[in-house]
Amino acid sequence: MSSVTSTPAPKGLEGIVATNSSICYIDGDLGVLAYRGIDIHELARHSNFEETCYLLWFGRLPNQGQLKDLRERLAQERHLDPAIIQFLRNAPKTALPMDVLRTTVSALAFYDADEKNNDHDANVRKAIRLTSQIAMIVAAYDRIRKGKPVVDPDRSLSHAANFLLQLTGAKPSPTAERALDIALILHADHELNASTFAARVTAATLSDMHSAVTSAIGALKGPLHGGANEAVFRILEAIDRQKSDPIEYVRSMLAQKKKIPGFGHRVYHTEDPRATHLRAMSRDLGRSSGQPQWYEMSEKIEKLVKAEKKLNANVDFYSASTYHVLGIDEDLFTPVFAVSRISGWAAHVIEQLDDNRLIRPRAEYLGPDYPNPYVAMEKR
Ligand SMILES: CC(C)(COP(=O)(O)OP(=O)(O)OC[C@H]1O[C@@H](n2cnc3c(N)ncnc32)[C@H](O)[C@@H]1OP(=O)(O)O)[C@@H](O)C(=O)NCCC(=O)NCCS
């Protein structure tokens, strides 16, 4: 008879290296994040979302011609099958945009000529297509649920500008376009975060890109992952509505042992480098749009949580106030995360399928000793 003597596995796979990858480098102690070795601070300052996509999918920065070509391919893919638009119209107007996105991305496979093709080039084509389509779905569903007409894409615009155009019906200002562009760069990839891991696990069964991205969207939705940005804004909104003192509000949450969304990270033990940029964007956009209160509240909360819990703000904390000031509804914050992260998910699916092996880890068994005899019903 064997007895259970094993040590439990680290909960939540903490610290476990689960794959080899050449896409994203993180040093959690030094607060370093780099895509293909290029520091996120350099990308946020100098790059744009399309160039970052190229970097993630092809492994290097593009030259001028390559970037132009990718921009054109992304623009050409700004098209949704009429059946998908009808699907969005049929969704309940009360449905969560994140749920609509998850289910619609799954449905996109019905109309994708490459659905069953898992070779490298087909996966790159699907990466490009899904990147354009996800942005369009998020914008179109928001218009439909508000009873507004779906806005035609403008193929001459950048990905960020076209998304804002299709969402709001108006061409964005250069400041708004650049702010969203930087946010998209910052959210594009983050190594084996929960949703990317989910995507890789699904892809590794030799399923397909659409299934992998659908899995990823389901994982991103949760408040411990991408759902945190919406949860942050719900707190800011409650403080504003109730005219509460942000310090007292959050102190009371801490006293009730509640987690404060937008703080803490499994990997970073110092400032999340993405938060550095989002903090500055939240401050600058808040001031220039005449809505400084969201940043001011956030800053107070950040100081308190840092002092009381020694926790740093993560990517989701200042993205909440940034997106709000950009005029994006709070239940679209997590879908907007997906508008960016599709680039990283796709890069990981491509990498996984280029050198695939089924992902099938083991569990440390801690249950009753084996053999545990089956007891007949009448003897229980
Ligand atoms: C991101 C997160 C899931 C990482 O979790 P993790 O590595 O599993 O860490 P744990 O949840 O085990 O937290 C470790 C300790 O810090 C505390 N802690 C972590 N994040 C906290 C937060 N945001 N607010 C308050 N306390 C927090 C936990 O309560 C726990 O305390 P304990 O040891 O006294 O029980 C976690 O920090 C969190 O839930 N943050 C809020 C949600 C969020 O912003 N998610 C987006 C991440 S980018």
PDB file of all heavy atoms in Angstrom, residues 61-85:
ATOM      1  N   LEU A  61      12.686  43.522 -35.796  1.00  0.00           N
ATOM      2  CA  LEU A  61      12.033  44.754 -36.236  1.00  0.00           C
ATOM      3  C   LEU A  61      11.935  44.759 -37.762  1.00  0.00           C
ATOM      4  O   LEU A  61      12.855  44.295 -38.440  1.00  0.00           O
ATOM      5  CB  LEU A  61      12.828  45.973 -35.768  1.00  0.00           C
ATOM      6  CG  LEU A  61      12.762  46.280 -34.264  1.00  0.00           C
ATOM      7  CD1 LEU A  61      13.752  47.387 -33.913  1.00  0.00           C
ATOM      8  CD2 LEU A  61      11.349  46.676 -33.834  1.00  0.00           C
ATOM      9  N   PRO A  62      10.868  45.300 -38.319  1.00  0.00           N
ATOM     10  CA  PRO A  62      10.740  45.335 -39.775  1.00  0.00           C
ATOM     11  C   PRO A  62      11.537  46.480 -40.387  1.00  0.00           C
ATOM     12  O   PRO A  62      11.772  47.488 -39.723  1.00  0.00           O
ATOM     13  CB  PRO A  62       9.237  45.600 -39.972  1.00  0.00           C
ATOM     14  CG  PRO A  62       8.837  46.396 -38.761  1.00  0.00           C
ATOM     15  CD  PRO A  62       9.694  45.892 -37.623  1.00  0.00           C
ATOM     16  N   ASN A  63      11.923  46.329 -41.658  1.00  0.00           N
ATOM     17  CA  ASN A  63      12.406  47.507 -42.384  1.00  0.00           C
ATOM     18  C   ASN A  63      11.160  48.248 -42.898  1.00  0.00           C
ATOM     19  O   ASN A  63      10.029  47.790 -42.700  1.00  0.00           O
ATOM     20  CB  ASN A  63      13.397  47.134 -43.492  1.00  0.00           C
ATOM     21  CG  ASN A  63      12.766  46.244 -44.561  1.00  0.00           C
ATOM     22  OD1 ASN A  63      11.552  46.304 -44.792  1.00  0.00           O
ATOM     23  ND2 ASN A  63      13.580  45.413 -45.202  1.00  0.00           N
ATOM     24  N   GLN A  64      11.396  49.366 -43.602  1.00  0.00           N
ATOM     25  CA  GLN A  64      10.264  50.202 -44.015  1.00  0.00           C
ATOM     26  C   GLN A  64       9.233  49.443 -44.859  1.00  0.00           C
ATOM     27  O   GLN A  64       8.031  49.535 -44.645  1.00  0.00           O
ATOM     28  CB  GLN A  64      10.771  51.405 -44.781  1.00  0.00           C
ATOM     29  CG  GLN A  64      10.407  52.694 -44.075  1.00  0.00           C
ATOM     30  CD  GLN A  64      11.141  53.877 -44.657  1.00  0.00           C
ATOM     31  OE1 GLN A  64      11.314  53.964 -45.872  1.00  0.00           O
ATOM     32  NE2 GLN A  64      11.567  54.771 -43.790  1.00  0.00           N
ATOM     33  N   GLY A  65       9.766  48.669 -45.816  1.00  0.00           N
ATOM     34  CA  GLY A  65       8.890  47.941 -46.736  1.00  0.00           C
ATOM     35  C   GLY A  65       8.090  46.876 -45.993  1.00  0.00           C
ATOM     36  O   GLY A  65       6.896  46.670 -46.262  1.00  0.00           O
ATOM     37  N   GLN A  66       8.754  46.191 -45.070  1.00  0.00           N
ATOM     38  CA  GLN A  66       8.068  45.128 -44.323  1.00  0.00           C
ATOM     39  C   GLN A  66       6.959  45.707 -43.436  1.00  0.00           C
ATOM     40  O   GLN A  66       5.881  45.131 -43.301  1.00  0.00           O
ATOM     41  CB  GLN A  66       9.091  44.358 -43.465  1.00  0.00           C
ATOM     42  CG  GLN A  66      10.030  43.504 -44.303  1.00  0.00           C
ATOM     43  CD  GLN A  66      11.276  43.086 -43.549  1.00  0.00           C
ATOM     44  OE1 GLN A  66      11.731  43.759 -42.618  1.00  0.00           O
ATOM     45  NE2 GLN A  66      11.861  41.976 -43.967  1.00  0.00           N
ATOM     46  N   LEU A  67       7.246  46.872 -42.844  1.00  0.00           N
ATOM     47  CA  LEU A  67       6.232  47.494 -41.994  1.00  0.00           C
ATOM     48  C   LEU A  67       5.040  47.965 -42.836  1.00  0.00           C
ATOM     49  O   LEU A  67       3.874  47.777 -42.469  1.00  0.00           O
ATOM     50  CB  LEU A  67       6.841  48.672 -41.214  1.00  0.00           C
ATOM     51  CG  LEU A  67       5.883  49.390 -40.270  1.00  0.00           C
ATOM     52  CD1 LEU A  67       5.296  48.431 -39.237  1.00  0.00           C
ATOM     53  CD2 LEU A  67       6.583  50.545 -39.551  1.00  0.00           C
ATOM     54  N   LYS A  68       5.363  48.545 -43.993  1.00  0.00           N
ATOM     55  CA  LYS A  68       4.288  49.013 -44.886  1.00  0.00           C
ATOM     56  C   LYS A  68       3.408  47.828 -45.302  1.00  0.00           C
ATOM     57  O   LYS A  68       2.182  47.914 -45.290  1.00  0.00           O
ATOM     58  CB  LYS A  68       4.933  49.680 -46.118  1.00  0.00           C
ATOM     59  CG  LYS A  68       3.964  50.251 -47.114  1.00  0.00           C
ATOM     60  CD  LYS A  68       4.730  51.111 -48.140  1.00  0.00           C
ATOM     61  CE  LYS A  68       3.846  51.553 -49.294  1.00  0.00           C
ATOM     62  NZ  LYS A  68       3.526  50.507 -50.267  1.00  0.00           N
ATOM     63  N   ASP A  69       4.076  46.733 -45.623  1.00  0.00           N
ATOM     64  CA  ASP A  69       3.347  45.539 -46.051  1.00  0.00           C
ATOM     65  C   ASP A  69       2.433  45.023 -44.927  1.00  0.00           C
ATOM     66  O   ASP A  69       1.265  44.698 -45.170  1.00  0.00           O
ATOM     67  CB  ASP A  69       4.373  44.463 -46.455  1.00  0.00           C
ATOM     68  CG  ASP A  69       3.685  43.210 -46.945  1.00  0.00           C
ATOM     69  OD1 ASP A  69       2.908  43.317 -47.908  1.00  0.00           O
ATOM     70  OD2 ASP A  69       3.899  42.132 -46.349  1.00  0.00           O
ATOM     71  N   LEU A  70       2.951  44.986 -43.696  1.00  0.00           N
ATOM     72  CA  LEU A  70       2.113  44.493 -42.595  1.00  0.00           C
ATOM     73  C   LEU A  70       0.942  45.438 -42.348  1.00  0.00           C
ATOM     74  O   LEU A  70      -0.194  44.994 -42.126  1.00  0.00           O
ATOM     75  CB  LEU A  70       2.940  44.310 -41.313  1.00  0.00           C
ATOM     76  CG  LEU A  70       2.114  43.786 -40.125  1.00  0.00           C
ATOM     77  CD1 LEU A  70       1.516  42.402 -40.415  1.00  0.00           C
ATOM     78  CD2 LEU A  70       2.926  43.737 -38.850  1.00  0.00           C
ATOM     79  N   ARG A  71       1.222  46.745 -42.404  1.00  0.00           N
ATOM     80  CA  ARG A  71       0.127  47.714 -42.218  1.00  0.00           C
ATOM     81  C   ARG A  71      -0.974  47.478 -43.256  1.00  0.00           C
ATOM     82  O   ARG A  71      -2.166  47.516 -42.942  1.00  0.00           O
ATOM     83  CB  ARG A  71       0.651  49.150 -42.404  1.00  0.00           C
ATOM     84  CG  ARG A  71       1.365  49.719 -41.204  1.00  0.00           C
ATOM     85  CD  ARG A  71       1.656  51.207 -41.485  1.00  0.00           C
ATOM     86  NE  ARG A  71       2.614  51.766 -40.575  1.00  0.00           N
ATOM     87  CZ  ARG A  71       2.344  52.137 -39.322  1.00  0.00           C
ATOM     88  NH1 ARG A  71       1.140  51.988 -38.859  1.00  0.00           N
ATOM     89  NH2 ARG A  71       3.280  52.633 -38.552  1.00  0.00           N
ATOM     90  N   GLU A  72      -0.544  47.239 -44.505  1.00  0.00           N
ATOM     91  CA  GLU A  72      -1.532  47.029 -45.575  1.00  0.00           C
ATOM     92  C   GLU A  72      -2.322  45.743 -45.344  1.00  0.00           C
ATOM     93  O   GLU A  72      -3.530  45.700 -45.543  1.00  0.00           O
ATOM     94  CB  GLU A  72      -0.832  46.992 -46.940  1.00  0.00           C
ATOM     95  CG  GLU A  72      -0.451  48.389 -47.402  1.00  0.00           C
ATOM     96  CD  GLU A  72       0.462  48.400 -48.639  1.00  0.00           C
ATOM     97  OE1 GLU A  72       0.732  47.314 -49.207  1.00  0.00           O
ATOM     98  OE2 GLU A  72       0.917  49.502 -48.981  1.00  0.00           O
ATOM     99  N   ARG A  73      -1.610  44.715 -44.914  1.00  0.00           N
ATOM    100  CA  ARG A  73      -2.309  43.439 -44.676  1.00  0.00           C
ATOM    101  C   ARG A  73      -3.313  43.574 -43.528  1.00  0.00           C
ATOM    102  O   ARG A  73      -4.426  43.052 -43.594  1.00  0.00           O
ATOM    103  CB  ARG A  73      -1.294  42.321 -44.388  1.00  0.00           C
ATOM    104  CG  ARG A  73      -0.495  41.943 -45.628  1.00  0.00           C
ATOM    105  CD  ARG A  73       0.547  40.890 -45.322  1.00  0.00           C
ATOM    106  NE  ARG A  73      -0.030  39.562 -45.115  1.00  0.00           N
ATOM    107  CZ  ARG A  73       0.689  38.492 -44.754  1.00  0.00           C
ATOM    108  NH1 ARG A  73       1.995  38.597 -44.581  1.00  0.00           N
ATOM    109  NH2 ARG A  73       0.113  37.324 -44.585  1.00  0.00           N
ATOM    110  N   LEU A  74      -2.916  44.272 -42.473  1.00  0.00           N
ATOM    111  CA  LEU A  74      -3.845  44.491 -41.344  1.00  0.00           C
ATOM    112  C   LEU A  74      -5.063  45.298 -41.815  1.00  0.00           C
ATOM    113  O   LEU A  74      -6.202  44.993 -41.451  1.00  0.00           O
ATOM    114  CB  LEU A  74      -3.137  45.233 -40.208  1.00  0.00           C
ATOM    115  CG  LEU A  74      -2.229  44.373 -39.314  1.00  0.00           C
ATOM    116  CD1 LEU A  74      -1.246  45.248 -38.531  1.00  0.00           C
ATOM    117  CD2 LEU A  74      -3.048  43.529 -38.340  1.00  0.00           C
ATOM    118  N   ALA A  75      -4.794  46.321 -42.639  1.00  0.00           N
ATOM    119  CA  ALA A  75      -5.897  47.168 -43.119  1.00  0.00           C
ATOM    120  C   ALA A  75      -6.841  46.370 -44.012  1.00  0.00           C
ATOM    121  O   ALA A  75      -8.064  46.491 -43.908  1.00  0.00           O
ATOM    122  CB  ALA A  75      -5.337  48.380 -43.853  1.00  0.00           C
ATOM    123  N   GLN A  76      -6.252  45.517 -44.885  1.00  0.00           N
ATOM    124  CA  GLN A  76      -7.098  44.690 -45.774  1.00  0.00           C
ATOM    125  C   GLN A  76      -7.994  43.752 -44.975  1.00  0.00           C
ATOM    126  O   GLN A  76      -9.078  43.380 -45.412  1.00  0.00           O
ATOM    127  CB  GLN A  76      -6.224  43.831 -46.693  1.00  0.00           C
ATOM    128  CG  GLN A  76      -5.746  44.547 -47.932  1.00  0.00           C
ATOM    129  CD  GLN A  76      -4.514  43.861 -48.516  1.00  0.00           C
ATOM    130  OE1 GLN A  76      -4.243  42.697 -48.218  1.00  0.00           O
ATOM    131  NE2 GLN A  76      -3.759  44.590 -49.311  1.00  0.00           N
ATOM    132  N   GLU A  77      -7.521  43.338 -43.821  1.00  0.00           N
ATOM    133  CA  GLU A  77      -8.307  42.402 -42.992  1.00  0.00           C
ATOM    134  C   GLU A  77      -9.359  43.113 -42.143  1.00  0.00           C
ATOM    135  O   GLU A  77     -10.008  42.487 -41.311  1.00  0.00           O
ATOM    136  CB  GLU A  77      -7.387  41.562 -42.103  1.00  0.00           C
ATOM    137  CG  GLU A  77      -6.461  40.637 -42.858  1.00  0.00           C
ATOM    138  CD  GLU A  77      -7.175  39.514 -43.620  1.00  0.00           C
ATOM    139  OE1 GLU A  77      -8.404  39.380 -43.495  1.00  0.00           O
ATOM    140  OE2 GLU A  77      -6.487  38.793 -44.361  1.00  0.00           O
ATOM    141  N   ARG A  78      -9.491  44.425 -42.314  1.00  0.00           N
ATOM    142  CA  ARG A  78     -10.557  45.141 -41.596  1.00  0.00           C
ATOM    143  C   ARG A  78     -11.888  44.852 -42.266  1.00  0.00           C
ATOM    144  O   ARG A  78     -12.462  45.664 -42.992  1.00  0.00           O
ATOM    145  CB  ARG A  78     -10.287  46.652 -41.577  1.00  0.00           C
ATOM    146  CG  ARG A  78      -9.248  47.015 -40.548  1.00  0.00           C
ATOM    147  CD  ARG A  78      -8.941  48.492 -40.490  1.00  0.00           C
ATOM    148  NE  ARG A  78      -7.670  48.648 -39.784  1.00  0.00           N
ATOM    149  CZ  ARG A  78      -6.829  49.651 -39.946  1.00  0.00           C
ATOM    150  NH1 ARG A  78      -7.131  50.628 -40.779  1.00  0.00           N
ATOM    151  NH2 ARG A  78      -5.703  49.694 -39.275  1.00  0.00           N
ATOM    152  N   HIS A  79     -12.335  43.646 -42.031  1.00  0.00           N
ATOM    153  CA  HIS A  79     -13.558  43.192 -42.680  1.00  0.00           C
ATOM    154  C   HIS A  79     -14.163  42.105 -41.798  1.00  0.00           C
ATOM    155  O   HIS A  79     -13.457  41.209 -41.348  1.00  0.00           O
ATOM    156  CB  HIS A  79     -13.217  42.616 -44.067  1.00  0.00           C
ATOM    157  CG  HIS A  79     -14.345  41.846 -44.655  1.00  0.00           C
ATOM    158  ND1 HIS A  79     -15.439  42.466 -45.209  1.00  0.00           N
ATOM    159  CD2 HIS A  79     -14.571  40.514 -44.741  1.00  0.00           C
ATOM    160  CE1 HIS A  79     -16.282  41.529 -45.618  1.00  0.00           C
ATOM    161  NE2 HIS A  79     -15.789  40.348 -45.343  1.00  0.00           N
ATOM    162  N   LEU A  80     -15.459  42.210 -41.538  1.00  0.00           N
ATOM    163  CA  LEU A  80     -16.143  41.139 -40.808  1.00  0.00           C
ATOM    164  C   LEU A  80     -17.221  40.572 -41.708  1.00  0.00           C
ATOM    165  O   LEU A  80     -17.951  41.333 -42.369  1.00  0.00           O
ATOM    166  CB  LEU A  80     -16.790  41.677 -39.521  1.00  0.00           C
ATOM    167  CG  LEU A  80     -15.858  42.092 -38.382  1.00  0.00           C
ATOM    168  CD1 LEU A  80     -16.656  42.738 -37.250  1.00  0.00           C
ATOM    169  CD2 LEU A  80     -15.057  40.906 -37.849  1.00  0.00           C
ATOM    170  N   ASP A  81     -17.321  39.253 -41.750  1.00  0.00           N
ATOM    171  CA  ASP A  81     -18.377  38.626 -42.536  1.00  0.00           C
ATOM    172  C   ASP A  81     -19.734  39.160 -42.053  1.00  0.00           C
ATOM    173  O   ASP A  81     -19.948  39.327 -40.848  1.00  0.00           O
ATOM    174  CB  ASP A  81     -18.301  37.101 -42.321  1.00  0.00           C
ATOM    175  CG  ASP A  81     -19.161  36.358 -43.323  1.00  0.00           C
ATOM    176  OD1 ASP A  81     -20.413  36.360 -43.142  1.00  0.00           O
ATOM    177  OD2 ASP A  81     -18.591  35.796 -44.271  1.00  0.00           O
ATOM    178  N   PRO A  82     -20.667  39.427 -42.981  1.00  0.00           N
ATOM    179  CA  PRO A  82     -21.983  39.927 -42.549  1.00  0.00           C
ATOM    180  C   PRO A  82     -22.642  39.022 -41.513  1.00  0.00           C
ATOM    181  O   PRO A  82     -23.388  39.497 -40.644  1.00  0.00           O
ATOM    182  CB  PRO A  82     -22.801  39.944 -43.852  1.00  0.00           C
ATOM    183  CG  PRO A  82     -21.787  39.987 -44.950  1.00  0.00           C
ATOM    184  CD  PRO A  82     -20.539  39.346 -44.439  1.00  0.00           C
ATOM    185  N   ALA A  83     -22.349  37.734 -41.567  1.00  0.00           N
ATOM    186  CA  ALA A  83     -22.932  36.809 -40.580  1.00  0.00           C
ATOM    187  C   ALA A  83     -22.408  37.130 -39.173  1.00  0.00           C
ATOM    188  O   ALA A  83     -23.117  36.923 -38.182  1.00  0.00           O
ATOM    189  CB  ALA A  83     -22.599  35.363 -40.951  1.00  0.00           C
ATOM    190  N   ILE A  84     -21.186  37.630 -39.097  1.00  0.00           N
ATOM    191  CA  ILE A  84     -20.621  37.980 -37.778  1.00  0.00           C
ATOM    192  C   ILE A  84     -21.310  39.245 -37.247  1.00  0.00           C
ATOM    193  O   ILE A  84     -21.660  39.326 -36.064  1.00  0.00           O
ATOM    194  CB  ILE A  84     -19.083  38.167 -37.882  1.00  0.00           C
ATOM    195  CG1 ILE A  84     -18.402  36.811 -38.149  1.00  0.00           C
ATOM    196  CG2 ILE A  84     -18.510  38.838 -36.641  1.00  0.00           C
ATOM    197  CD1 ILE A  84     -18.448  35.819 -36.989  1.00  0.00           C
ATOM    198  N   ILE A  85     -21.545  40.194 -38.139  1.00  0.00           N
ATOM    199  CA  ILE A  85     -22.255  41.415 -37.706  1.00  0.00           C
ATOM    200  C   ILE A  85     -23.661  41.024 -37.234  1.00  0.00           C
ATOM    201  O   ILE A  85     -24.149  41.501 -36.212  1.00  0.00           O
ATOM    202  CB  ILE A  85     -22.328  42.446 -38.865  1.00  0.00           C
ATOM    203  CG1 ILE A  85     -20.921  42.935 -39.226  1.00  0.00           C
ATOM    204  CG2 ILE A  85     -23.245  43.617 -38.515  1.00  0.00           C
ATOM    205  CD1 ILE A  85     -20.284  43.874 -38.210  1.00  0.00           C
TER     206      ILE A  85
END
